[in-house]
PDB file of all heavy atoms in Angstrom:
ATOM      1  N   ILE A  21      22.525  29.613  10.092  1.00  0.00           N
ATOM      2  CA  ILE A  21      22.529  30.785   9.230  1.00  0.00           C
ATOM      3  C   ILE A  21      23.944  31.371   9.262  1.00  0.00           C
ATOM      4  O   ILE A  21      24.492  31.607  10.331  1.00  0.00           O
ATOM      5  CB  ILE A  21      21.489  31.829   9.669  1.00  0.00           C
ATOM      6  CG1 ILE A  21      20.083  31.260   9.511  1.00  0.00           C
ATOM      7  CG2 ILE A  21      21.644  33.127   8.894  1.00  0.00           C
ATOM      8  CD1 ILE A  21      19.001  32.187   9.954  1.00  0.00           C
ATOM      9  N   ARG A  22      24.517  31.620   8.097  1.00  0.00           N
ATOM     10  CA  ARG A  22      25.827  32.229   8.056  1.00  0.00           C
ATOM     11  C   ARG A  22      25.781  33.629   8.648  1.00  0.00           C
ATOM     12  O   ARG A  22      24.856  34.394   8.400  1.00  0.00           O
ATOM     13  CB  ARG A  22      26.287  32.315   6.588  1.00  0.00           C
ATOM     14  CG  ARG A  22      27.710  32.781   6.394  1.00  0.00           C
ATOM     15  CD  ARG A  22      28.071  32.833   4.937  1.00  0.00           C
ATOM     16  NE  ARG A  22      29.407  33.348   4.731  1.00  0.00           N
ATOM     17  CZ  ARG A  22      30.495  32.581   4.631  1.00  0.00           C
ATOM     18  NH1 ARG A  22      30.364  31.256   4.726  1.00  0.00           N
ATOM     19  NH2 ARG A  22      31.689  33.122   4.433  1.00  0.00           N
ATOM     20  N   PRO A  23      26.709  33.981   9.539  1.00  0.00           N
ATOM     21  CA  PRO A  23      26.668  35.267  10.227  1.00  0.00           C
ATOM     22  C   PRO A  23      26.516  36.472   9.303  1.00  0.00           C
ATOM     23  O   PRO A  23      25.874  37.473   9.642  1.00  0.00           O
ATOM     24  CB  PRO A  23      27.998  35.310  10.993  1.00  0.00           C
ATOM     25  CG  PRO A  23      28.356  33.884  11.189  1.00  0.00           C
ATOM     26  CD  PRO A  23      27.878  33.167   9.966  1.00  0.00           C
ATOM     27  N   GLU A  24      27.145  36.409   8.093  1.00  0.00           N
ATOM     28  CA  GLU A  24      27.084  37.562   7.198  1.00  0.00           C
ATOM     29  C   GLU A  24      25.831  37.595   6.352  1.00  0.00           C
ATOM     30  O   GLU A  24      25.612  38.555   5.606  1.00  0.00           O
ATOM     31  CB  GLU A  24      28.296  37.476   6.222  1.00  0.00           C
ATOM     32  CG  GLU A  24      29.636  37.438   6.929  1.00  0.00           C
ATOM     33  CD  GLU A  24      30.133  36.022   7.161  1.00  0.00           C
ATOM     34  OE1 GLU A  24      29.271  35.109   7.115  1.00  0.00           O
ATOM     35  OE2 GLU A  24      31.324  35.857   7.411  1.00  0.00           O
ATOM     36  N   PHE A  25      24.972  36.577   6.477  1.00  0.00           N
ATOM     37  CA  PHE A  25      23.864  36.501   5.521  1.00  0.00           C
ATOM     38  C   PHE A  25      22.881  37.664   5.646  1.00  0.00           C
ATOM     39  O   PHE A  25      22.475  38.260   4.631  1.00  0.00           O
ATOM     40  CB  PHE A  25      23.095  35.169   5.730  1.00  0.00           C
ATOM     41  CG  PHE A  25      21.790  35.151   4.975  1.00  0.00           C
ATOM     42  CD1 PHE A  25      21.773  34.990   3.605  1.00  0.00           C
ATOM     43  CD2 PHE A  25      20.570  35.316   5.646  1.00  0.00           C
ATOM     44  CE1 PHE A  25      20.589  35.005   2.907  1.00  0.00           C
ATOM     45  CE2 PHE A  25      19.403  35.330   4.947  1.00  0.00           C
ATOM     46  CZ  PHE A  25      19.379  35.163   3.584  1.00  0.00           C
ATOM     47  N   THR A  26      22.444  37.966   6.874  1.00  0.00           N
ATOM     48  CA  THR A  26      21.387  38.972   7.002  1.00  0.00           C
ATOM     49  C   THR A  26      21.841  40.351   6.537  1.00  0.00           C
ATOM     50  O   THR A  26      21.058  41.060   5.890  1.00  0.00           O
ATOM     51  CB  THR A  26      20.896  39.061   8.471  1.00  0.00           C
ATOM     52  OG1 THR A  26      22.027  39.176   9.343  1.00  0.00           O
ATOM     53  CG2 THR A  26      20.080  37.824   8.847  1.00  0.00           C
ATOM     54  N   GLN A  27      23.109  40.715   6.796  1.00  0.00           N
ATOM     55  CA  GLN A  27      23.571  41.988   6.303  1.00  0.00           C
ATOM     56  C   GLN A  27      23.691  41.986   4.789  1.00  0.00           C
ATOM     57  O   GLN A  27      23.399  42.990   4.108  1.00  0.00           O
ATOM     58  CB  GLN A  27      24.928  42.354   6.932  1.00  0.00           C
ATOM     59  CG  GLN A  27      25.399  43.759   6.582  1.00  0.00           C
ATOM     60  CD  GLN A  27      24.384  44.821   6.970  1.00  0.00           C
ATOM     61  OE1 GLN A  27      23.900  44.853   8.092  1.00  0.00           O
ATOM     62  NE2 GLN A  27      24.047  45.721   6.033  1.00  0.00           N
ATOM     63  N   SER A  28      24.099  40.838   4.230  1.00  0.00           N
ATOM     64  CA  SER A  28      24.150  40.731   2.763  1.00  0.00           C
ATOM     65  C   SER A  28      22.784  40.884   2.157  1.00  0.00           C
ATOM     66  O   SER A  28      22.625  41.544   1.132  1.00  0.00           O
ATOM     67  CB  SER A  28      24.772  39.389   2.377  1.00  0.00           C
ATOM     68  OG  SER A  28      24.720  39.173   1.001  1.00  0.00           O
ATOM     69  N   PHE A  29      21.768  40.329   2.816  1.00  0.00           N
ATOM     70  CA  PHE A  29      20.388  40.492   2.305  1.00  0.00           C
ATOM     71  C   PHE A  29      19.955  41.953   2.389  1.00  0.00           C
ATOM     72  O   PHE A  29      19.331  42.471   1.458  1.00  0.00           O
ATOM     73  CB  PHE A  29      19.455  39.611   3.160  1.00  0.00           C
ATOM     74  CG  PHE A  29      18.022  39.665   2.743  1.00  0.00           C
ATOM     75  CD1 PHE A  29      17.545  38.827   1.740  1.00  0.00           C
ATOM     76  CD2 PHE A  29      17.144  40.536   3.310  1.00  0.00           C
ATOM     77  CE1 PHE A  29      16.215  38.881   1.334  1.00  0.00           C
ATOM     78  CE2 PHE A  29      15.813  40.630   2.927  1.00  0.00           C
ATOM     79  CZ  PHE A  29      15.350  39.767   1.926  1.00  0.00           C
ATOM     80  N   VAL A  30      20.279  42.603   3.495  1.00  0.00           N
ATOM     81  CA  VAL A  30      19.917  44.032   3.638  1.00  0.00           C
ATOM     82  C   VAL A  30      20.581  44.840   2.538  1.00  0.00           C
ATOM     83  O   VAL A  30      19.935  45.722   1.891  1.00  0.00           O
ATOM     84  CB  VAL A  30      20.347  44.533   5.033  1.00  0.00           C
ATOM     85  CG1 VAL A  30      20.257  46.068   5.098  1.00  0.00           C
ATOM     86  CG2 VAL A  30      19.466  43.903   6.106  1.00  0.00           C
ATOM     87  N   ASP A  31      21.849  44.606   2.261  1.00  0.00           N
ATOM     88  CA  ASP A  31      22.557  45.354   1.227  1.00  0.00           C
ATOM     89  C   ASP A  31      21.947  45.122  -0.178  1.00  0.00           C
ATOM     90  O   ASP A  31      21.807  46.086  -0.944  1.00  0.00           O
ATOM     91  CB  ASP A  31      24.045  44.919   1.180  1.00  0.00           C
ATOM     92  CG  ASP A  31      24.765  45.333   2.473  1.00  0.00           C
ATOM     93  OD1 ASP A  31      24.281  46.237   3.163  1.00  0.00           O
ATOM     94  OD2 ASP A  31      25.837  44.723   2.742  1.00  0.00           O
ATOM     95  N   ALA A  32      21.533  43.897  -0.452  1.00  0.00           N
ATOM     96  CA  ALA A  32      20.977  43.584  -1.774  1.00  0.00           C
ATOM     97  C   ALA A  32      19.616  44.234  -1.966  1.00  0.00           C
ATOM     98  O   ALA A  32      19.161  44.431  -3.103  1.00  0.00           O
ATOM     99  CB  ALA A  32      20.882  42.071  -1.949  1.00  0.00           C
ATOM    100  N   ASN A  33      18.896  44.534  -0.873  1.00  0.00           N
ATOM    101  CA  ASN A  33      17.557  45.126  -0.986  1.00  0.00           C
ATOM    102  C   ASN A  33      17.570  46.626  -0.964  1.00  0.00           C
ATOM    103  O   ASN A  33      16.507  47.254  -1.133  1.00  0.00           O
ATOM    104  CB  ASN A  33      16.671  44.605   0.182  1.00  0.00           C
ATOM    105  CG  ASN A  33      16.087  43.238  -0.115  1.00  0.00           C
ATOM    106  OD1 ASN A  33      14.962  43.105  -0.615  1.00  0.00           O
ATOM    107  ND2 ASN A  33      16.838  42.189   0.189  1.00  0.00           N
ATOM    108  N   ARG A  34      18.721  47.249  -0.788  1.00  0.00           N
ATOM    109  CA  ARG A  34      18.788  48.689  -0.697  1.00  0.00           C
ATOM    110  C   ARG A  34      18.465  49.325  -2.042  1.00  0.00           C
ATOM    111  O   ARG A  34      19.115  49.042  -3.053  1.00  0.00           O
ATOM    112  CB  ARG A  34      20.195  49.098  -0.221  1.00  0.00           C
ATOM    113  CG  ARG A  34      20.284  50.587   0.176  1.00  0.00           C
ATOM    114  CD  ARG A  34      21.606  50.897   0.826  1.00  0.00           C
ATOM    115  NE  ARG A  34      21.645  50.321   2.195  1.00  0.00           N
ATOM    116  CZ  ARG A  34      22.513  49.421   2.630  1.00  0.00           C
ATOM    117  NH1 ARG A  34      23.417  48.929   1.774  1.00  0.00           N
ATOM    118  NH2 ARG A  34      22.480  48.996   3.856  1.00  0.00           N
ATOM    119  N   GLY A  35      17.425  50.171  -2.095  1.00  0.00           N
ATOM    120  CA  GLY A  35      17.051  50.853  -3.283  1.00  0.00           C
ATOM    121  C   GLY A  35      16.250  50.045  -4.289  1.00  0.00           C
ATOM    122  O   GLY A  35      15.904  50.523  -5.365  1.00  0.00           O
ATOM    123  N   LEU A  36      15.900  48.805  -3.916  1.00  0.00           N
ATOM    124  CA  LEU A  36      15.135  47.940  -4.846  1.00  0.00           C
ATOM    125  C   LEU A  36      13.725  48.477  -5.014  1.00  0.00           C
ATOM    126  O   LEU A  36      13.039  48.823  -4.024  1.00  0.00           O
ATOM    127  CB  LEU A  36      15.115  46.522  -4.276  1.00  0.00           C
ATOM    128  CG  LEU A  36      14.732  45.378  -5.212  1.00  0.00           C
ATOM    129  CD1 LEU A  36      15.775  45.228  -6.321  1.00  0.00           C
ATOM    130  CD2 LEU A  36      14.614  44.075  -4.448  1.00  0.00           C
ATOM    131  N   ASP A  37      13.255  48.571  -6.242  1.00  0.00           N
ATOM    132  CA  ASP A  37      11.903  49.134  -6.495  1.00  0.00           C
ATOM    133  C   ASP A  37      10.850  48.061  -6.683  1.00  0.00           C
ATOM    134  O   ASP A  37       9.719  48.365  -7.046  1.00  0.00           O
ATOM    135  CB  ASP A  37      11.946  50.061  -7.714  1.00  0.00           C
ATOM    136  CG  ASP A  37      12.344  49.363  -8.989  1.00  0.00           C
ATOM    137  OD1 ASP A  37      12.591  48.122  -8.936  1.00  0.00           O
ATOM    138  OD2 ASP A  37      12.358  50.000 -10.059  1.00  0.00           O
ATOM    139  N   ASP A  38      11.194  46.795  -6.453  1.00  0.00           N
ATOM    140  CA  ASP A  38      10.240  45.688  -6.551  1.00  0.00           C
ATOM    141  C   ASP A  38       9.914  45.238  -5.118  1.00  0.00           C
ATOM    142  O   ASP A  38      10.623  44.429  -4.530  1.00  0.00           O
ATOM    143  CB  ASP A  38      10.838  44.559  -7.371  1.00  0.00           C
ATOM    144  CG  ASP A  38       9.808  43.480  -7.726  1.00  0.00           C
ATOM    145  OD1 ASP A  38       8.611  43.665  -7.410  1.00  0.00           O
ATOM    146  OD2 ASP A  38      10.211  42.450  -8.325  1.00  0.00           O
ATOM    147  N   ASP A  39       8.828  45.763  -4.550  1.00  0.00           N
ATOM    148  CA  ASP A  39       8.553  45.547  -3.123  1.00  0.00           C
ATOM    149  C   ASP A  39       8.233  44.091  -2.811  1.00  0.00           C
ATOM    150  O   ASP A  39       7.629  43.365  -3.647  1.00  0.00           O
ATOM    151  CB  ASP A  39       7.355  46.396  -2.679  1.00  0.00           C
ATOM    152  CG  ASP A  39       7.709  47.873  -2.602  1.00  0.00           C
ATOM    153  OD1 ASP A  39       8.891  48.208  -2.764  1.00  0.00           O
ATOM    154  OD2 ASP A  39       6.782  48.691  -2.365  1.00  0.00           O
ATOM    155  N   ALA A  40       8.620  43.666  -1.635  1.00  0.00           N
ATOM    156  CA  ALA A  40       8.288  42.330  -1.167  1.00  0.00           C
ATOM    157  C   ALA A  40       6.838  42.292  -0.629  1.00  0.00           C
ATOM    158  O   ALA A  40       6.443  43.173   0.127  1.00  0.00           O
ATOM    159  CB  ALA A  40       9.235  41.897  -0.048  1.00  0.00           C
TER     160      ALA A  40
END
Side-chain angles (χ1 to χ4, degrees):
I21 295 178
R22 187 180 177 93
E24 302 92 342
F25 168 74
T26 49
Q27 186 57 50
S28 175
F29 181 86
V30 169
D31 293 341
N33 278 267
R34 190 170 289 119
L36 197 65
D37 62 359
D38 191 4
D39 288 353

